[in-house]
Amino acid sequence: MDLKPKRTSVTENGDGGEDLALANGNDVGPLVRHAFEMGRPEGLLRQMSFVVKEKEAEIEEMCKTHYEEFILAVDELRGVLFDAEELKSQLHGDNFKLQQVGSDLLVKLEELLECYSVKKNVAEAVKISKNCVEVLELCGKCNSQVSEGQFYSALKTVDLLEKSYLQSIPLKALKVAVERRIPVIKLHIEKNVCSQVNEWMVQIRSSARNIGQTAIGRIATVRQRDDEMLEQQRKAEEQYISGAGSLAYTLDAEEFDEDSVIKFDLTPLYRACHIHDFLGIREKFREYYYTNRLLQLNSDLEISSAQPFVESYQTFFAQIAGFFMVEDRVLRTAGVLLVADQVETMWETAVAKMTSVLEEQFSSMESATHLLLVKDYVTLFGSTLRQYGHDIGTLLDVLDSSHEKYHQLLLEECRQQTVDVLGNDSYDQVLIKKESDYENVVLSFNLQTSDSMPAFPYTAPFSSMVPDVCRIVRSFIKGSVDYLSHGIGMHMNVFDVVRKYLDKFLIDVLNAVLLNTINGGNIAVPQVMQIATNIAVLERACDFFLRQAAQLCGIPCRSIERPQPDLSAKVVLKTSRDAAYIGLLNMVNKEIDKFMTAGVNWTPEETNQNGNDYIHEVIIYLHSILKPAQQILPLDAMHRVGSGVFEHISNSLVAAFSSDSVKRFNANAVINIEYDLQIIENFADEQFYSAGLGEIYNEGSFKNCLVEARQLINLLLSSQAEDFMNPDIREKSYYALDYKKVSAICDKFKDSPDGIFGSLANKNAKQSARKKSMDVLKKWLKDFS
C-alpha cells in the first residue's frame, strides 16, 4: 500500500521515457502475471536484476547530474525491489497452489483429450459404417429391383453407386466387391432385357397377322363404302338425266386414327431401347433388333408347301402388313431405334419376295376366281401399306402384267358356263307371269322391244338361254372391271381393255359356242330356229353390254349417251345369225329331201289329182316348221327361211327330173308332179300371207320361189313346147330355166303306148300334139347345144 504513492511520486517527478514506463505498475503487472502464468519467474527476476543494475548505472550517472533526483530514484527503486521480492514470494506461493490445483485439472484434461479422441474415432467409425450401410442398402435395393424386373430403376441405382458412393467406400473389400458386381449386374440386366425383347418379338409376330387383317379389313370397308357412294352417285345422275330426281352430292368424310384403331404394346421395346441407351450400347441394340426383325421378315416371307396358296394368301399378306405396321410405329415412336433406310431395305426385301411369289403362283393358277381374290387382297394390302409411305408400284405391275392370264382363265370359265347354259336350255320361249320376273329377265338386260309394260302372262321371244347368257356376260364384265380396278390398269384405258375382252368373249366364246351348237347336229330344227332368234336378241343386247362396261368403268352417263363405236361382236353375231338361218334352212331342206326322194313313180299309167304321197308329207312337215317359225322368227328371217325352203323344193323337183337315177318319165308323171306343185304353191301362198309378209314384201309370195319348177312343168305339159325356142317367149315364160337342163330333161320325156283305159280320142290327140312339139324342141336343143 505504501508503494503506490511512491510509484506515483516517481512518475510525477521523473522526466518520462522508458524508465518511467518500467516503473509504472500498470505496465509491469501484466509482465509479472505473464511470467508466472508461463511458470518462468526466474527469467523475470533475472531481467529485473538486469534492469536494476542498468538503472543503477543510469542512476549513478544521473546522480552526478541530479543527485537529489537520483537519491529519490534509488529509494524508489529499492522500494520496487522490495515489492518485487514480496511479489516473488507471493508468486511462488500462488504457483505452488496453482501446481496443486492444476495437477488435478491436467489429469482431467488428459482424460478429456482422450475422450475427445475416442469421440472422434467413434464419429469416424459411425460415418464409415453409415456409408457402408447406405452402400449395402443400395445394393439390396438394386437386387430387389433386378429380381422384380425393374431394370431401369436398378440401373439408376447402380449408376448412383458408381458415381456417388464407389470412390468413397472406406472398406477396400466392399469397394472391390461392388466394383466387380456392377458389370455383372449390367450384363445380367442386358441379357434379361434382350430376353424380354425376344419374347416381345415372338408375341408381336404372332399378333402381326391380326394387326394386318384388321387394317386390311378397314381398308376393304372404306373401299366398299366408296364403291357404294359411286354407285349411288351414278344412279342419282341417271335419275337426274331422266328427270326423275334431283342431283345432290354428299361428302362423307370420316377420319381414322390408325393408332387408336389398331393397338399393340411396344412397352418392352421402349424399355429395352431406353435401358440400352442408358448402358451406352444403343448401336449394339439397334443392330440386334434390326437383324432379328429381318430374320423374322424372311421367315414370314416363306410360303408353306403344306397348304395351297389360295388358302394361305390372306394370312401371308396380313402377316407382312402387320410386320410393317409395327415397324412404322417403332420408327415413329422408338427414337432412333430404326432409321427410314432400314425400313426401306426391309420393304424392298419383302417386295422382291412377294413379287416372286405372285409371279410363280399366278403362272400356275387355273381359276380366274382365285386369281381375282388374290389380286383384290393384294391391292387392299398395297393400299394399307401405301398409307405408311411404302411404294407398291412393283406389286401393281405384277398384277397388271397378269391381266392377260386372268382374262384367259375368265374366258375359259365363262365358256364352260355358256356351254352348260346352252346344254340345259329347253329352247322354249320364256313365260313371264309377273312384273318382277319381267324386270329381272327383260328390263335388267334391256331386252324389251317396247317401252310399255306388257300384259301378263307374257311370252318372251327368246328362251331361257338369253337371260342366262346375259348374266354370264354381265358377270364377265364385272370380273374384268374388278381385276382392272383399284390400282390396276393405271397405264391403260380400262374401258378400252374391258371392251376388247368383252368383244373377245362375245366372239371367241359365245359366238363360237352358238355356232358349235348349231353345227353340232345334236339339235332339231325348232331348237336352231330358237337359237337364231336368241342370237338376234343377243345382238341387240350388245349395246347394253357396252353401256354396262362403261358404267362399271366409271364413265359418266353423259359420256355413255354419246355415240360409241359398236362392238365388233355385234357384226359377228349378225353373221352368226345369218349362219343360223342357213343352218336352219339346210336342216329343213335335208328333211324335205328325205320325203321327196321316196315313192315317186316316173312312169305311172294314170294320173292322181290328189298328188303323190311325198308332197303331203312335205306339207305336214313344213306346217310343223313354219307355224312355230311365225311365232319365233322375225319377219325378215321368216321370209328368208320360207323363200329358201320353197326354192329348195323347186330345185329338188327340177333336180329330180335331171337325176341320173331317172332314165325316163312320161306325161302322167309330169301331170302328177304338176298336181304336187299346185298343192305346194297353194301352201306357199297360205304361209306367206298368214305370216303377215304380204304387207312388207310386195314383190310376191313364197309361190314365186317355185318358179323354176312351175316353168319346167308348164313347158313339159305345153302343146307348143317349141315356143321355148323363141327368145321373147323364153324370156317371158321360161326365164328361170336353163336350156341345158331342159335339154337333158326333155330327152327323158318319153310317153309309153296307151294303156287299156287310156284310148280316148281327144287324149290321144293332145298327146300327139305335145309329142310333136316336144320332138321339135328336143331337136332344136340338140342343134343349139
Side-chain angles (χ1 to χ4, degrees):
M1 296 297 296
D2 295 337
L3 292 176
K4 291 179 181 179
K6 293 180 179 178
R7 285 197 293 269
T8 303
S9 174
V10 173
T11 303
E12 291 177 356
N13 296 328
D15 54 354
E18 184 179 353
D19 297 334
L20 293 176
L22 184 60
N24 192 341
N26 294 331
D27 293 332
V28 175
L31 292 176
V32 175
R33 190 180 303 110
H34 179 69
F36 280 97
E37 287 177 353
M38 295 299 294
R40 293 182 295 179
E42 294 81 1
L44 178 61
L45 292 177
R46 286 195 301 270
Q47 289 293 329
M48 292 184 67
S49 297
F50 176 76
V51 172
V52 168
K53 291 178 181 179
E54 186 179 354
K55 292 301 182 178
E56 284 179 349
E58 291 179 357
I59 292 171
E60 188 177 356
E61 185 67 31
M62 291 182 62
C63 285
K64 295 178 180 179
T65 307
H66 305 287
Y67 178 76
E68 189 174 330
E69 292 180 3
F70 178 72
I71 295 297
L72 292 175
V74 172
D75 290 340
E76 183 68 26
L77 183 58
R78 285 180 178 176
V80 171
L81 182 60
F82 176 80
D83 291 338
E85 289 294 336
E86 186 179 0
L87 180 60
K88 180 181 178 181
S89 63
Q90 290 181 356
L91 286 174
H92 278 289
D94 293 338
N95 181 54
F96 178 75
K97 293 178 182 180
L98 183 60
Q99 290 288 339
Q100 290 180 340
V101 176
S103 61
D104 295 336
L105 293 177
L106 286 174
V107 173
K108 292 182 179 180
L109 178 60
E110 289 178 358
E111 293 177 356
L112 181 60
L113 291 176
E114 185 178 358
C115 289
Y116 278 139
S117 177
V118 172
K119 178 183 177 182
K120 181 180 179 181
N121 292 336
V122 170
E124 185 69 20
V126 170
K127 181 179 179 181
I128 293 173
S129 299
K130 184 178 180 182
N131 196 338
C132 292
V133 169
E134 290 179 354
V135 170
L136 293 175
E137 287 179 349
L138 288 175
C139 291
K141 181 180 179 182
C142 179
N143 288 336
S144 299
Q145 290 169 340
V146 170
S147 62
E148 293 173 1
Q150 300 176 4
F151 298 126
Y152 182 71
S153 299
L155 284 178
K156 294 288 286 183
T157 303
V158 169
D159 186 64
L160 180 62
L161 275 172
E162 195 172 11
K163 292 182 178 180
S164 301
Y165 289 90
L166 185 61
Q167 299 302 323
S168 60
I169 296 177
L171 296 180
K172 184 177 181 181
L174 180 59
K175 181 179 180 181
V176 171
V178 172
E179 284 180 341
R180 291 178 178 175
R181 295 301 298 174
I182 284 176
V184 175
I185 292 173
K186 289 183 178 179
L187 182 60
H188 175 76
I189 290 175
E190 180 185 353
K191 289 182 178 179
N192 276 272
V193 168
C194 288
S195 177
Q196 289 183 355
V197 171
N198 291 338
E199 293 177 359
W200 174 83
M201 286 184 181
V202 173
Q203 184 272 331
I204 203 67
R205 184 186 182 190
S206 62
S207 302
R209 181 187 308 171
N210 293 331
I211 294 171
Q213 287 176 340
T214 302
I216 293 174
R218 187 179 68 82
I219 293 296
T221 302
V222 172
R223 176 184 292 183
Q224 182 180 2
R225 183 187 61 192
D226 292 343
D227 291 343
E228 291 175 353
M229 291 179 62
L230 289 175
E231 180 65 18
Q232 292 175 1
Q233 178 181 340
R234 185 184 64 79
K235 291 181 179 179
E237 288 181 352
E238 291 177 354
Q239 293 177 356
Y240 177 75
I241 292 174
S242 63
S246 60
L247 189 62
Y249 295 93
T250 60
L251 180 61
D252 184 10
E254 183 177 356
E255 297 293 336
F256 284 94
D257 182 3
E258 191 71 33
D259 291 345
S260 64
V261 174
I262 303 174
K263 297 180 179 180
F264 47 88
D265 187 16
L266 294 181
T267 302
L269 187 63
Y270 295 150
R271 184 187 301 115
C273 184
H274 195 47
I275 287 175
H276 281 82
D277 195 17
F278 189 85
L279 290 172
I281 52 175
R282 176 191 302 172
E283 292 299 324
K284 179 181 178 182
F285 181 66
R286 285 177 57 187
E287 185 64 26
Y288 173 83
Y289 176 80
Y290 176 70
T291 301
N292 282 275
R293 286 294 280 168
L294 190 58
L295 290 174
Q296 284 189 332
L297 175 61
N298 289 327
S299 178
D300 292 339
L301 290 171
E302 294 297 327
I303 297 295
S304 174
S305 59
Q307 187 177 17
F309 183 72
V310 293
E311 297 178 6
S312 62
Y313 71 91
Q314 292 189 1
T315 300
F316 175 74
F317 286 105
Q319 183 75 27
I320 298 173
F323 177 90
F324 282 99
M325 291 175 64
V326 171
E327 294 312 302
D328 177 78
R329 186 81 62 82
V330 171
L331 179 64
R332 290 188 289 111
T333 62
V336 291
L337 178 60
L338 275 180
V339 295
D341 290 343
Q342 289 176 320
V343 177
E344 187 63 26
T345 299
M346 290 191 289
W347 174 248
E348 290 174 356
T349 301
V351 167
K353 181 63 177 179
M354 288 187 291
T355 300
S356 175
V357 168
L358 287 175
E359 289 176 346
E360 179 182 355
Q361 295 298 328
F362 282 174
S363 65
S364 61
M365 280 189 182
E366 299 297 333
S367 171
T369 303
H370 291 164
L371 203 151
L372 178 60
L373 290 174
V374 174
K375 170 264 168 186
D376 281 341
Y377 204 80
V378 171
T379 56
L380 290 173
F381 165 84
S383 299
T384 301
L385 291 186
R386 184 164 49 193
Q387 295 180 338
Y388 295 93
H390 295 296
D391 182 13
I392 62 171
T394 304
L395 290 176
L396 296 183
D397 289 342
V398 174
L399 300 178
D400 202 0
S401 63
S402 300
H403 79 273
E404 183 71 28
K405 171 69 178 293
Y406 168 76
H407 282 92
Q408 290 177 358
L409 295 176
L410 185 61
L411 285 169
E412 187 57 36
E413 290 181 0
C414 291
R415 180 193 305 276
Q416 187 57 48
Q417 294 174 11
T418 305
V419 170
D420 293 341
V421 164
L422 267 68
N424 297 327
D425 190 12
S426 63
Y427 298 103
D428 295 328
Q429 293 180 327
V430 178
L431 179 62
I432 302 175
K433 298 181 179 180
K434 52 185 179 180
E435 184 176 345
S436 60
D437 292 339
Y438 184 80
E439 293 177 353
N440 293 331
V441 174
V442 179
L443 296 181
S444 61
F445 304 110
N446 200 25
L447 302 178
Q448 69 274 16
T449 56
S450 174
D451 293 335
S452 60
M453 186 70 67
F456 297 101
Y458 166 75
T459 301
F462 49 81
S463 67
S464 62
M465 180 202 82
V466 171
D468 290 341
V469 167
C470 287
R471 293 186 185 97
I472 295 174
V473 176
R474 184 170 63 184
S475 174
F476 176 85
I477 296 171
K478 187 177 185 307
S480 179
V481 173
D482 286 345
Y483 192 89
L484 296 173
S485 60
H486 302 300
I488 310 302
M490 297 177 62
H491 308 296
M492 63 180 74
N493 187 320
V494 175
F495 176 64
D496 288 345
V497 177
V498 173
R499 175 177 175 164
K500 180 187 77 171
Y501 284 111
L502 175 59
D503 245 342
K504 189 176 183 65
F505 169 73
L506 293 175
I507 296 173
D508 295 348
V509 175
L510 177 60
N511 184 69
V513 172
L514 288 171
L515 290 179
N516 290 338
T517 303
I518 293 171
N519 300 325
N522 297 323
I523 56 176
V525 172
Q527 285 78 21
V528 176
M529 197 182 305
Q530 186 61 62
I531 289 178
T533 302
N534 291 345
I535 293 176
V537 177
L538 291 173
E539 180 186 343
R540 295 197 309 271
C542 286
D543 295 334
F544 166 77
F545 298 150
L546 192 61
R547 287 196 301 272
Q548 180 77 12
Q551 290 176 357
L552 291 178
C553 290
I555 297 178
C557 295
R558 55 184 177 275
S559 299
I560 301 175
E561 296 301 326
R562 296 172 185 171
Q564 296 284 344
D566 289 334
L567 290 169
S568 301
K570 195 170 184 180
V571 177
V572 175
L573 287 173
K574 182 177 181 180
T575 304
S576 297
R577 179 176 49 131
D578 295 339
Y581 294 148
I582 294 174
L584 171 64
L585 184 59
N586 291 336
M587 293 178 68
V588 173
N589 290 340
K590 286 181 180 179
E591 289 296 321
I592 291 175
D593 289 342
K594 294 177 182 178
F595 298 128
M596 297 190 67
T597 57
V600 178
N601 187 357
W602 292 100
T603 57
E605 294 183 357
E606 58 183 13
T607 61
N608 184 5
Q609 294 183 356
N610 294 326
N612 292 302
D613 293 338
Y614 77 89
I615 200 65
H616 297 289
E617 294 178 353
V618 169
I619 294 297
I620 294 172
Y621 174 73
L622 288 179
H623 188 272
S624 67
I625 296 301
L626 296 180
K627 190 63 176 179
Q630 296 178 13
Q631 306 297 325
I632 297 175
L633 296 179
L635 292 179
D636 60 335
M638 181 65 188
H639 181 268
R640 181 175 179 178
V641 172
S643 298
V645 167
F646 290 108
E647 184 176 354
H648 179 72
I649 292 174
S650 175
N651 294 335
S652 297
L653 290 173
V654 175
F657 283 102
S658 304
S659 174
D660 293 337
S661 61
V662 178
K663 303 300 182 181
R664 63 184 294 275
F665 60 87
N666 60 21
N668 289 338
V670 175
I671 293 172
N672 287 339
I673 292 178
E674 201 277 337
Y675 290 146
D676 296 340
L677 187 58
Q678 288 181 5
I679 294 172
I680 199 69
E681 284 177 339
N682 293 334
F683 178 77
D685 273 345
E686 177 188 353
Q687 293 298 314
F688 182 82
Y689 291 106
S690 64
L693 297 174
E695 300 175 359
I696 302 176
Y697 299 96
N698 299 321
E699 63 274 12
S701 70
F702 292 148
K703 181 179 179 180
N704 293 341
C705 298
L706 299 165
V707 62
E708 184 180 8
R710 169 49 63 191
Q711 290 180 2
L712 177 62
I713 296 300
N714 289 341
L715 178 62
L716 295 177
L717 295 179
S718 174
S719 299
Q720 298 177 345
E722 69 274 10
D723 290 345
F724 185 79
M725 297 182 296
N726 188 330
D728 294 333
I729 297 176
R730 186 170 67 249
E731 182 68 24
K732 179 179 180 181
S733 302
Y734 304 108
Y735 58 86
L737 297 178
D738 179 35
Y739 73 93
K740 291 183 179 181
K741 289 183 181 180
V742 173
S743 176
I745 293 172
C746 289
D747 286 340
K748 300 179 182 181
F749 189 16
K750 299 175 182 179
D751 275 343
S752 60
D754 293 337
I756 298 176
F757 302 101
S759 58
L760 296 177
N762 57 353
K763 182 177 179 182
N764 293 332
K766 288 182 180 180
Q767 287 179 347
S768 177
R770 186 184 303 120
K771 185 176 184 302
K772 291 179 181 179
S773 177
M774 186 59 64
D775 291 339
V776 173
L777 177 60
K778 289 179 182 180
K779 184 177 181 304
W780 180 83
L781 287 173
K782 288 181 179 179
D783 296 338
F784 183 81
S785 59

